[in-house]
Amino acid sequence: MAVSTGRATAAGGSARGRSRRKDSKDGEQGPGRLRRALSAHWYAWAMVAPVAVVMLVLIGWPLARGVYLSLTDATEANIGRTIGVNVIPASYEFVGLDNYLQILTSSVFWDKLIWTVMWTVVCVAAHYGIGLGLAVMLNRKLRLRSLYRVLLILPWAVPAFVAAFIWRYLYNSDYGVINGFLKMAGLSGVGWLDDPTTAKIAVIAVNVWIGVPFMMLALLGGLQSIPAELYEAAEVDGASAWQRFRAITLPGLRQVSGTVVLLGTIWTFNMFPIIFLVTRGGPGSETEILVTYAFREAFEGVRNYSGSAAWGVIILLMLVVLAVGYRRTLRSQGDPW
């Protein structure tokens, strides 16, 4: 019995010793890995650090400030300011979630949200559909294919505000080019920006004209990465053009399509210059989307900084939820992105 107890004690002691050595080894392994990563990739960390600092200053601080203002009642009347030699301190107060409740329970928010969603869905669908058609066309052997590519990229190369001013001139009711052609054809002119329906069609057309080239270029790159042997084998097997497109082209573009659709959705959802410069949200406020309404809250009339900040936070949260849900959907379908 004594011998057996001694062996058990020795075994228990050795087990505890191994456990302590393992714990100490694990304790050193964590910092060791970090030190090894920093020492092995110090150059990459040094190159990334300035960019991270700039992003933190330009994005992180304004975002934090905006979230804080959204929880107050800050307006033009109670914000801190300096007039000459007189310094007027801020007198706004913390109000919690009152701004968010006021926005979410207002009919204005839901009206703008419905139009913003319609605007985004129609524009992104047109971007992808037209861009895919042009990409498939330019992926074939055509005469003057390089010239076609340059001409189709031009709308994307033009700055958005320049394109908005050009299209505003084209839509002008009195001396616009579009109405000029209609009158030459014996038709009456159309008040493109004077009626809510035609104004919405007008801004959608402008945004589609600007956004299609990006989709076309991205999808063209994806098409060129699909092995030609797949099409040759399918053609030998007797597959039609539509069957090859459905079975090879679309699955081959899945990763590229997922990325560009998400980016296009975010950009279109926040497409401020087209709406603001072409129609200024009119007629009335019929073409205003969420981001243009938030701008008006902050910079027009009695400036409601807290309300505008709350609108911005709500827009950000909606886009984050959309991006996360979209990525999870893609992963559930087997997409590693």
Side-chain angles (χ1 to χ4, degrees):
M1 292 295 295
V3 174
S4 176
T5 305
R7 288 179 178 177
T9 303
S14 61
R16 287 193 296 270
R18 286 195 301 271
S19 177
R20 286 194 297 269
R21 287 195 299 271
K22 183 178 180 181
D23 292 340
S24 62
K25 184 179 180 180
D26 290 340
E28 294 177 356
Q29 187 175 7
R33 283 184 177 179
L34 180 60
R35 284 197 297 268
R36 286 196 299 271
L38 290 175
S39 61
H41 307 291
W42 67 268
Y43 184 75
W45 287 105
M47 295 295 290
V48 170
V51 179
V53 172
V54 171
M55 295 291 287
L56 184 63
V57 172
L58 296 181
I59 297 178
W61 165 246
L63 178 60
R65 177 67 174 171
V67 173
Y68 170 71
L69 285 178
S70 70
L71 302 174
T72 67
D73 61 350
T75 63
E76 187 179 12
N78 56 23
I79 198 77
R81 57 197 182 277
T82 301
I83 303 176
V85 295
N86 300 319
V87 178
I88 302 176
S91 59
Y92 56 84
E93 299 177 352
F94 183 82
V95 296
L97 300 176
D98 288 352
N99 292 318
Y100 295 96
L101 294 175
Q102 184 178 359
I103 292 172
L104 295 176
T105 55
S106 66
S107 59
V108 175
F109 170 77
W110 296 105
D111 291 341
K112 302 307 175 190
L113 177 61
I114 291 172
W115 161 235
T116 303
V117 171
M118 291 175 56
W119 149 268
T120 304
V121 171
V122 173
C123 287
V124 173
H127 289 165
Y128 186 82
I130 299 174
L132 179 59
L134 292 175
V136 171
M137 181 187 70
L138 293 178
N139 195 41
R140 299 177 179 178
K141 294 181 179 180
L142 299 172
R143 294 184 57 188
L144 303 177
R145 183 171 60 176
S146 299
L147 177 61
Y148 296 150
R149 290 181 180 180
V150 172
L151 293 177
L152 291 171
I153 291 172
L154 283 179
W156 191 38
V158 177
F161 72 93
V162 175
F165 283 128
I166 293 173
W167 278 95
R168 184 176 176 84
Y169 170 74
L170 295 176
Y171 284 133
N172 188 275
S173 302
D174 299 324
Y175 47 84
V177 175
I178 298 177
N179 278 347
F181 282 120
L182 292 176
K183 292 177 182 178
M184 290 175 58
L187 303 174
S188 59
V190 178
W192 295 101
L193 306 181
D194 301 328
D195 180 76
T197 302
T198 56
K200 290 179 179 180
I201 295 174
V203 291
I204 288 174
V206 176
N207 193 57
V208 169
W209 182 80
I210 292 175
V212 163
F214 168 75
M215 288 284 185
M216 180 193 69
L217 283 178
L219 295 174
L220 180 60
L223 286 173
Q224 293 178 347
S225 67
I226 299 176
E229 292 80 4
L230 296 178
Y231 292 100
E232 295 174 357
E235 189 173 1
V236 170
D237 291 339
S240 63
W242 169 248
Q243 290 174 333
R244 294 195 299 270
F245 177 80
R246 186 167 53 87
I248 300 175
T249 303
L250 291 180
L253 292 175
R254 179 177 298 172
Q255 293 187 14
V256 177
S257 298
T259 303
V260 296
V261 168
L262 178 59
L263 291 176
T265 300
I266 295 173
W267 293 341
T268 305
F269 199 88
N270 289 324
M271 183 55 71
F272 174 83
I274 300 303
I275 299 292
F276 187 77
L277 296 177
V278 174
T279 65
R280 295 194 175 275
S285 61
E286 293 294 330
T287 59
E288 277 194 331
I289 57 177
L290 293 176
V291 67
T292 59
Y293 191 86
F295 172 84
R296 290 189 184 278
E297 285 283 292
F299 296 103
E300 293 186 2
V302 179
R303 301 180 178 182
N304 184 6
Y305 299 121
S306 58
S308 177
W311 279 83
V313 173
I314 291 174
I315 294 170
L316 175 62
L317 291 177
M318 286 191 294
L319 290 176
V320 169
V321 171
L322 172 66
V324 172
Y326 188 73
R327 290 188 61 183
R328 287 185 176 180
T329 301
L330 292 180
R331 286 180 178 177
S332 66
Q333 296 175 354
D335 194 329
W337 186 84

